[in-house]
Amino acid sequence: DAKTTQPPSMDCAEGRAANLPCNHSTISGNEYVYWYRQIHSQGPQYIIHGLKNNETNEMASLIITEDRKSSTLILPHATLRDTAVYYCIGDGGATNKLIFGTGTLLAVQP
Amino acid sequence: DAMVIQNPRYQVTQFGKPVTLSCSQTLNHNVMYWYQQKSSQAPKLLFHYYDKDFNNEADTPDNFQSRRPNTSFCFLDIRSPGLGDAAMYLCATSTLAGGNYNEQFFGPGTRLTVL
């Protein structure tokens, strides 16, 4: 599984887009990039995942660079309820393991 | 709603006294996982079941065991809890399709206190 690097914390104003970066320079060709978040005292929650192409769902967008060495999770209109630790994880699919890194604590400010 | 349920949400046990944490799911997923999350740390995978096949992580202590009597239920047994085993224990489920595992669905966790 790819080692991922994320900033330890970020702030974002409510209503603004939150852009969370992740470096995964050792990711292999068949490894997906998964994003999960964990709101305080809750279990992690799946957000989105991608392989090569950019992805969008009802929660967020995922932008993956062409060389796949980094990605950005975008929350288009952050709310106070989006305050959480966001984890970027390189997942081998066939190995099923989620190796959580330290994540980014996103604090959405009113 | 389909979900992953963990009982109890909070568990207190004494040093060395065996304790069992339970997880149930209504998603009919064939894979179930147990993670340990210590304070201010990220979740760490202990083991998982693919159907009845048990897969232990290499660094999971022998003190931790698991049982999966059927698709819906999975148990985490801590045979002799130490103070260092105080943590949040998270259960998750997923499916295996087309040779790849899909996203994991987590329960709310059981917070274990060891006195």
Side-chain angles (χ1 to χ4, degrees):
Chain A
D1 296 318
K3 177 177 169 55
T4 61
T5 305
Q6 298 176 253
S9 64
M10 292 182 63
D11 288 343
C12 177
E14 189 177 17
R16 298 287 186 137
N19 298 291
L20 293 99
C22 178
N23 287 321
H24 34 78
S25 58
T26 62
I27 198 168
S28 63
N30 62 348
E31 225 173 337
Y32 285 82
V33 178
Y34 276 80
W35 284 83
Y36 284 77
R37 74 179 182 183
Q38 188 172 23
I39 296 170
H40 183 62
S41 295
Q42 297 184 20
Q45 175 190 24
Y46 165 80
I47 302 173
I48 198 167
H49 73 284
L51 185 62
K52 295 180 183 177
N53 300 321
N54 298 336
E55 302 287 345
T56 295
N57 64 19
E58 65 278 5
M59 289 183 70
S61 295
L62 175 60
I63 309 298
I64 303 174
T65 58
E66 193 170 342
D67 63 7
R68 299 206 337 115
K69 292 185 184 300
S70 66
S71 61
T72 300
L73 178 75
I74 302 172
L75 307 179
H77 306 287
T79 71
L80 298 179
R81 287 181 293 182
D82 292 322
T83 292
V85 177
Y86 287 77
Y87 295 101
C88 165
I89 302 165
D91 177 43
T95 66
N96 78 273
K97 294 181 182 181
L98 291 181
I99 309 298
F100 287 85
T102 52
T104 296
L105 173 59
L106 175 69
V108 181
Q109 310 288 350
Chain B
D1 287 339
M3 56 199 309
V4 181
I5 302 160
Q6 291 189 245
N7 284 310
R9 293 292 311 277
Y10 300 90
Q11 175 74 56
V12 179
T13 190
Q14 292 180 331
F15 183 94
K17 184 175 181 180
V19 65
T20 295
L21 309 181
S22 71
C23 176
S24 64
Q25 53 130 341
T26 60
L27 298 160
N28 203 33
H29 285 173
N30 52 5
V31 191
M32 294 186 77
Y33 310 80
W34 280 104
Y35 291 83
Q36 178 192 63
Q37 185 173 25
K38 295 186 177 181
S39 181
S40 301
Q41 295 183 20
K44 181 177 179 297
L45 181 65
L46 294 173
F47 28 58
H48 77 277
Y49 275 94
Y50 170 54
D51 287 333
K52 286 191 175 295
D53 293 333
F54 177 71
N55 298 271
N56 198 30
E57 292 302 297
D59 56 355
T60 297
D62 292 341
N63 197 26
F64 292 86
Q65 304 285 320
S66 187
R67 296 170 284 134
R68 189 180 185 187
N70 54 52
T71 300
S72 300
F73 285 87
C74 195
F75 300 99
L76 170 62
D77 301 309
I78 308 177
R79 292 192 296 186
S80 182
L83 298 179
D85 297 327
M88 175 77 84
Y89 290 89
L90 295 159
C91 174
T93 72
S94 74
T95 57
L96 174 62
N100 286 317
Y101 289 83
N102 294 312
E103 65 268 23
Q104 296 186 19
F105 291 80
F106 284 81
T110 294
R111 184 167 297 282
L112 178 69
T113 300
V114 182
L115 301 178

